[in-house]
Amino acid sequence: MQLKVIITGSTEMVGEGVLLTCLNDPQVSEVLLINRRHLDRNHPKLKELLISDFTKINEHAEELKGYDGCFYCAGISSVGVSEEDFTKATYNTTVSFAEQLASINPQLVFTYVSGSGTDSSENRKVMWARVRGRTENALMRLPFKAVYNFRPGVMKIVKGQKNTKGFLKVISGLYPLWNLLFPKFSCTLEDVGKAMIHAVTNGYPKPIIEVTDIKILAQKNS
């Protein structure tokens, strides 16, 4: 099966790692990047659509048809951000994007990167976990072919990544230790990318994809 996929957030660490994994995977024939700013990378599989406002993707409906999966990796850190601003960037933007994409291409598989510790009950005191849980729940109500919410923890970056902050490179470099001590909290970004690809080709029995599930999905054959 040859896949055509959409990726958001490729100018940041998670999205870039997923992108490189897709470019290296023979199952993926085309990648459309949806970015707010240009990504300086060339590849025969690669196309780019620059959109300043992710809540207005309906204006580009024709360009978004015919894709098999969307790997939504865009997002912001909650550090130093108010709940109002974090909700706007995390819940409002993501759900609006997904609602419009579902109306354009309901046969698409949508995967969303939230994070380990996300709160499905939406009731915990931890703000980011509550908002991401609300976002996951809203996405799972949309009429896509399937929705999978990925909850990675500590991740090792993919070789060749450029958009990685210094402290994240340090954490990535310590991955063997993290994986030894906390295997249920640690995976590679290549695992995340492969798991997303295999979620589209094979499906998975659960919509919430924890680190253990990511590792299982990453090993599945197409």
Side-chain angles (χ1 to χ4, degrees), residues 82-139:
S82 69
E83 181 167 354
E84 180 182 1
D85 287 343
F86 188 72
T87 298
K88 181 178 178 180
T90 302
Y91 178 85
N92 295 358
T93 299
T94 305
V95 174
S96 177
F97 179 100
E99 286 175 340
Q100 293 175 66
L101 188 59
S103 70
I104 296 167
N105 191 352
Q107 291 304 308
L108 178 144
V109 175
F110 191 92
T111 69
Y112 169 64
V113 178
S114 56
S116 181
T118 294
D119 175 29
S120 296
S121 74
E122 306 179 31
N123 293 319
R124 277 174 45 190
K125 292 183 179 180
V126 180
M127 181 270 286
W128 72 262
R130 187 174 64 250
V131 174
R132 288 196 183 278
R134 182 184 170 204
T135 305
E136 287 187 349
N137 291 338
L139 293 174

Side-chain angles (χ1 to χ4, degrees), residues 208-221:
I208 303 297
I209 311 296
E210 303 284 0
V211 171
T212 300
D213 302 299
I214 289 172
K215 290 179 176 179
I216 292 171
L217 257 174
Q219 300 303 315
K220 282 185 174 290
N221 294 321

Side-chain angles (χ1 to χ4, degrees), residues 1-221:
M1 181 179 181
Q2 290 290 291
L3 300 178
K4 295 173 62 177
V5 301
I6 297 167
I7 299 176
T8 70
S10 63
T11 57
E12 302 297 335
M13 186 189 83
V14 176
E16 185 184 34
V18 170
L19 166 61
L20 291 176
T21 302
C22 288
L23 294 181
N24 290 329
D25 195 303
Q27 296 176 91
V28 179
S29 62
E30 183 181 312
V31 178
L32 174 65
L33 302 181
I34 299 182
N35 288 327
R36 292 185 177 89
R37 56 188 173 90
H38 173 63
L39 180 71
D40 187 17
R41 187 178 292 276
N42 296 310
H43 193 280
K45 294 181 182 180
L46 204 54
K47 297 170 65 176
E48 186 177 52
L49 176 61
L50 295 179
I51 299 178
S52 61
D53 187 347
F54 273 31
T55 67
K56 296 181 179 180
I57 64 167
N58 266 339
E59 297 175 1
H60 306 272
E62 288 302 315
E63 296 165 87
L64 301 176
K65 291 179 179 178
Y67 286 89
D68 302 293
C70 177
F71 304 155
Y72 195 96
C73 305
I76 65 169
S77 169
S78 63
V79 177
V81 178
S82 69
E83 181 167 354
E84 180 182 1
D85 287 343
F86 188 72
T87 298
K88 181 178 178 180
T90 302
Y91 178 85
N92 295 358
T93 299
T94 305
V95 174
S96 177
F97 179 100
E99 286 175 340
Q100 293 175 66
L101 188 59
S103 70
I104 296 167
N105 191 352
Q107 291 304 308
L108 178 144
V109 175
F110 191 92
T111 69
Y112 169 64
V113 178
S114 56
S116 181
T118 294
D119 175 29
S120 296
S121 74
E122 306 179 31
N123 293 319
R124 277 174 45 190
K125 292 183 179 180
V126 180
M127 181 270 286
W128 72 262
R130 187 174 64 250
V131 174
R132 288 196 183 278
R134 182 184 170 204
T135 305
E136 287 187 349
N137 291 338
L139 293 174
M140 288 189 289
R141 291 191 290 267
L142 296 179
F144 286 111
K145 179 180 179 180
V147 173
Y148 298 104
N149 294 301
F150 277 61
R151 295 181 176 182
V154 174
M155 291 173 283
K156 178 184 177 180
I157 62 176
V158 176
K159 184 178 180 180
Q161 286 199 234
K162 301 175 183 178
N163 299 315
T164 306
K165 296 178 182 178
F167 75 95
L168 292 174
K169 286 185 178 179
V170 173
I171 292 173
S172 176
L174 295 173
Y175 173 76
L177 178 61
W178 283 104
N179 195 43
L180 178 65
L181 297 176
F182 308 104
K184 293 184 178 180
F185 187 68
S186 309
C187 65
T188 70
L189 258 172
E190 184 177 18
D191 285 339
V192 174
K194 287 183 176 179
M196 288 182 172
I197 292 168
H198 294 157
V200 176
T201 58
N202 298 297
Y204 200 68
K206 298 191 296 182
I208 303 297
I209 311 296
E210 303 284 0
V211 171
T212 300
D213 302 299
I214 289 172
K215 290 179 176 179
I216 292 171
L217 257 174
Q219 300 303 315
K220 282 185 174 290
N221 294 321

